[in-house]
Amino acid sequence: MTKYRLDRRFTLPAIGIHLIAAGLVAALAFWVWAPLGVLTVLLLLNALRVFAFPPAVVRADPSGVRLGGLMTMKPVRVVWTEVEDVTVDRTRLVFDRGDAGTTAFPLAYVGPRAEELVREVYDRLNTANGYTRYEDPSS
């Protein structure tokens, strides 16, 4: 299984909100009720966790791919054998699943690993179909 994590530019606002909330709760803990300090520590630890390990937004395995997750779009599972066509423009990866509709995934979510994701999608689709059907647009 390959995981692609959310790009930093999308996690930094969440980290900032955690830090602002931690500062407000720390002030309340200092003036109102001291046990709120525990909440301050939890907020700071969660901000550190999001900074160190951004949430995974794509999980690709031999059977399919899960797109989306925390801080992005609603998670969608796409099975490789259900994909009729896949297209890539500069900003999105679009899976056409026939009657099940299309699923568009913004490549900005994975940042600099977007090309790697596109290459892996084409490789996994070719493997699932048993022949080379999809050509990597970057080559």
Side-chain angles (χ1 to χ4, degrees):
M1 175 185 297
T2 308
K3 290 183 184 179
Y4 295 86
R5 297 196 175 273
L6 187 60
D7 191 47
R8 292 268 184 232
R9 64 185 151 177
F10 296 103
T11 59
L12 290 178
I15 293 167
I17 290 171
H18 276 78
L19 295 177
I20 290 169
L24 292 173
V25 172
L28 286 174
F30 192 70
W31 287 307
V32 178
W33 192 47
L36 283 175
V38 173
L39 181 58
T40 301
V41 170
L42 292 175
L43 285 167
L44 291 173
L45 288 175
N46 195 46
L48 183 61
R49 180 191 62 84
V50 171
F51 180 75
F53 303 105
V57 291
V58 177
R59 288 187 173 97
D61 59 41
S63 64
V65 63
R66 192 185 126 246
L67 305 166
L70 259 126
M71 294 194 267
T72 60
M73 58 190 238
K74 180 180 175 184
V76 176
R77 176 82 176 155
V78 177
V79 178
W80 298 125
T81 55
E82 292 177 355
V83 175
E84 291 184 7
D85 193 23
V86 64
T87 55
V88 180
D89 62 21
R90 293 183 317 152
T91 60
R92 297 178 306 156
L93 182 62
V94 181
F95 294 91
D96 182 3
R97 298 184 295 158
D99 293 338
T102 60
T103 301
F105 180 77
L107 291 171
Y109 287 154
V110 293
R113 292 189 67 193
E115 287 184 29
E116 182 183 341
L117 171 63
V118 170
R119 215 171 321 144
E120 181 172 2
V121 165
Y122 281 106
D123 290 344
R124 291 201 185 263
L125 282 169
N126 288 332
T127 302
N129 287 310
Y131 59 93
T132 302
R133 175 178 174 188
Y134 298 99
E135 294 295 326
D136 187 351
S138 64
S139 40

